[in-house]
Amino acid sequence: MDTAMTDTPGLAGAPPRTARSAVVDLGSNSVRLVVFEGHGRNPLAIFNEKAVLGLGRGLVATGRLNEDAVDQALTVMVRYHTVARAMGADPVEVLATAAVRDATNGAAFIAALRARLPDLVIRVLTGDEEGHLSADGVLLGFPDADGVLGDIGGGSLELVELAHGRAGRVASLPLGAIRLSERAGGEVQRGRALADEEFARVPWLPEATGRDLYLVGGAWRALARMHIAQTAYPLSIVHHYVLMREEARDLAGVVMAATRRTLERMPGAPTKRVVDLPWAAVVLRRLLRASGARRVVFSANGLREGWYARRLPTEARHADPLLSASQELASRFGRDPRLPAALARWTNGLFETESPTDAALRIAACWASDIGSHDHPDYRAEHSYFRVLRQPGVGLDHHARAFLALAVALRYEAAADASYIRRRRAPRRNPRRRAAPGLHAVGRHPGTAGRHGNRTPRRPPYAAPGRRHRRLRGRERAATRGGPGGGAGAGGGGGSRGVRVLHGEGLCPPPDLPPPRA
């Protein structure tokens, strides 16, 4: 193989491949392979593929893994192993979660998998191990996280106490979306009661009152994407997306009450997860009640990123995520590694009242200041803008993305009227007006999470006063009547009071608010 590459014109002397590692998340609902490249502070996934198999469907009734899914899983795992090895990943590990550890035929399934792939490392995680790995992944993106982490899968829900960037107590509950639907016999009211019973067994959960709830898991990310689509939020990135408590409650209430047909018509609803969405919404709503959390913060990081984090050097793992992200951009796209540091020193005394948060953004901008040097001169501003705004790392919250993207674009003399840096004001809307199909005005321009805090002004209640069941039934009727193009129209959902300023797809501070503080 190596000889053939050497003898092929154009391949001789090719630079050595960057180190890669791969992990397979063998879950109750889906199996996912992620291949990471390098050992940077921000995980760089160069391959990410999921197969929805439903290994845990029927587990409550039979106690066994789904037989059809077992056969498919063995085939998928052979393919994933082949792909990972072909990409040069080492190590390649499999992390099996709730369905495999709880099923009576789980051990037999693992034995069959080892027989086909004898060199593959397979770990069947306990609930505590699963929770701590998820916490490690979340802390990569939210190093100062404080509150409770909830990681929902198909078979279980892991709750982890987070105290100022440190993981504490863990509880593993049988509240995965698939398992809860089967335990409840398809009855939402029964599901609510079961969730309340399980949360009552976690004595430390109420200590999260007034703190943040960090959500991990595909079903909850799907809810975030639906909210993003319904409200025309200008940045389609789930990581660091934030909803205040009442918004999250309303969103969950809508999804709980909606029929399957209604859910399928909602923009942003993933077809393969429609069956599980109401149960994920039930768990979210009851968890908000039990924890008393003040807001919900969505994280794209979880178990797989936690596995990656444990392979990082200690110094890299505890580095500042914002500065690490900008430094990684500079190392990949910049010309001279000495320039950003010199520029940061030169700008040190320019702002007398600079806060630590503002200083970090300034230094990050210095590191990103030369990332367009290899682009065509006519497109440097635009390419650099989107390179920062849409970079895949976990170290930038939405405000930091917009700030740095705009700073880099202006550094390359972007025109004030450039289409990607346009300024527009969102119209004032009646807070009780019906929003896009399916969501009764639950959407607004949310804040940002992490070191820059939540910057959004408080809004009035979105729904008219009245009994809770009437509100939910009203939302379902509104959803059923709505269509893909209906609702409040382009530009956002109802309930957007005040002014929102957008720089293209970047989120910039409204003019009547001070800059964010740490």
Side-chain angles (χ1 to χ4, degrees):
M1 181 71 176
D2 293 338
T3 302
M5 291 182 63
T6 303
D7 294 341
T8 302
L11 294 183
R17 179 181 289 170
T18 304
R20 293 172 178 174
S21 56
V23 61
V24 178
D25 183 353
L26 188 57
S28 303
N29 189 45
S30 63
V31 182
R32 185 187 295 268
L33 166 66
V34 179
V35 178
F36 296 105
E37 185 168 83
H39 299 293
R41 170 63 176 72
N42 291 281
L44 179 59
I46 61 171
F47 186 88
N48 190 328
E49 183 176 295
K50 175 183 69 176
V52 178
L53 305 179
L55 272 172
R57 292 202 182 275
L59 180 63
V60 171
T62 67
R64 297 173 59 83
L65 297 175
N66 185 287
E67 296 295 343
D68 292 337
V70 165
D71 292 337
Q72 295 177 55
L74 292 173
T75 301
V76 168
M77 289 299 300
V78 171
R79 177 180 180 276
Y80 281 176
H81 181 261
T82 302
V83 169
R85 290 303 188 196
M87 296 184 73
D90 185 24
V92 179
E93 293 189 16
V94 176
L95 306 178
T97 55
V100 173
R101 70 171 171 258
D102 294 340
T104 56
N105 60 338
F109 168 66
I110 295 299
L113 186 56
R114 287 194 170 117
R116 292 199 184 193
L117 302 168
D119 63 332
L120 185 60
V121 177
I122 305 172
R123 294 171 55 192
V124 180
L125 302 176
T126 66
D128 280 4
E129 289 173 332
E130 190 175 346
H132 280 296
L133 277 171
S134 293
D136 288 344
V138 168
L139 292 174
L140 270 185
F142 306 87
D144 300 318
D146 187 67
V148 172
L149 158 66
D151 184 355
I152 193 169
S156 65
L157 169 72
E158 275 64 49
L159 298 177
V160 185
E161 177 187 38
L162 299 176
H164 305 291
R166 298 181 66 87
R169 292 166 285 188
V170 178
S172 183
L173 307 177
L175 292 177
I178 295 176
R179 186 172 296 187
L180 180 60
S181 68
E182 294 179 353
R183 291 178 65 197
E187 298 180 6
V188 170
Q189 292 298 326
R190 175 59 178 156
R192 287 159 52 103
L194 289 171
D196 287 341
E197 291 174 8
E198 296 293 344
F199 290 139
R201 297 191 178 102
V202 185
W204 49 266
L205 190 54
E207 297 176 18
T209 300
R211 297 157 75 191
D212 288 341
L213 175 59
Y214 299 86
L215 297 187
V216 175
W220 279 341
R221 287 195 299 272
L223 294 181
R225 290 192 181 95
M226 291 171 66
H227 197 272
I228 287 172
Q230 294 282 347
T231 58
Y233 186 69
L235 189 61
S236 186
I237 294 178
V238 169
H239 194 59
H240 280 279
Y241 191 68
V242 176
L243 293 177
M244 299 308 291
R245 175 186 176 86
E246 289 304 313
E247 294 172 316
R249 287 185 69 255
D250 284 349
L251 172 63
V254 170
V255 175
M256 285 169 52
T259 63
R260 175 167 181 167
R261 180 184 176 188
T262 298
L263 288 173
E264 289 173 344
R265 297 172 65 194
M266 290 184 184
T271 303
K272 293 183 179 180
R273 289 195 180 272
V274 163
V275 175
D276 300 327
L277 289 178
W279 303 102
V282 168
V283 176
L284 173 56
R285 191 165 174 124
R286 307 320 291 172
L287 181 54
L288 283 167
R289 180 185 180 93
S291 66
R294 70 186 181 100
R295 66 176 187 172
V296 163
V297 182
F298 291 92
S299 171
N301 283 12
L303 178 78
R304 299 174 293 273
E305 290 74 20
W307 175 87
Y308 171 88
R310 292 190 178 182
R311 296 183 48 78
L312 290 177
T314 302
E315 182 178 356
R317 186 173 174 178
H318 296 291
D320 181 276
L322 170 63
L323 296 181
S324 295
S326 57
Q327 289 168 353
E328 288 166 13
L329 282 171
S331 67
R332 293 177 62 195
F333 302 108
R335 288 173 295 185
D336 186 344
R338 299 168 297 179
L339 174 62
L343 186 58
R345 289 192 298 270
W346 183 77
T347 59
N348 273 341
L350 295 181
F351 305 99
E352 295 181 357
T353 60
E354 188 177 54
S355 71
T357 297
D358 294 337
L361 284 171
R362 173 179 57 81
I363 295 171
C366 292
W367 278 100
S369 63
D370 198 41
I371 63 172
S373 58
H374 296 87
D375 293 321
H376 189 285
D378 293 344
Y379 293 96
R380 278 178 183 158
E382 182 176 358
H383 286 182
S384 299
Y385 177 85
F386 286 115
R387 184 171 290 135
V388 174
L389 191 68
R390 297 171 178 173
Q391 68 97 13
V394 301
L396 302 182
D397 63 30
H398 292 193
H399 172 261
R401 287 175 184 271
F403 177 91
L404 294 178
L406 183 61
V408 172
L410 295 178
R411 171 260 185 272
Y412 286 114
E413 301 181 350
D417 59 349
S419 61
Y420 56 93
I421 314 181
R422 61 186 179 274
R423 294 176 67 95
R424 70 178 184 265
R425 292 176 182 269
R428 295 176 180 270
R429 300 189 184 278
N430 185 335
R432 299 181 191 274
R433 180 178 175 180
R434 186 176 296 124
L439 300 186
H440 180 72
V442 303
R444 66 158 169 82
H445 186 61
T448 55
R451 62 183 297 146
H452 303 297
N454 187 332
R455 314 195 45 275
T456 307
R458 298 179 66 86
R459 264 66 170 180
Y462 294 116
R467 287 179 172 271
R468 183 175 303 170
H469 73 273
R470 289 181 181 174
R471 292 168 61 189
L472 298 182
R473 291 290 298 276
R475 292 187 185 111
E476 183 177 359
R477 287 195 297 271
T480 304
R481 290 195 299 268
S496 177
R497 187 182 67 161
V499 175
R500 178 169 87 201
V501 178
L502 310 180
H503 282 287
E505 291 183 271
L507 314 184
C508 292
D512 56 339
L513 294 179
R517 300 300 183 201

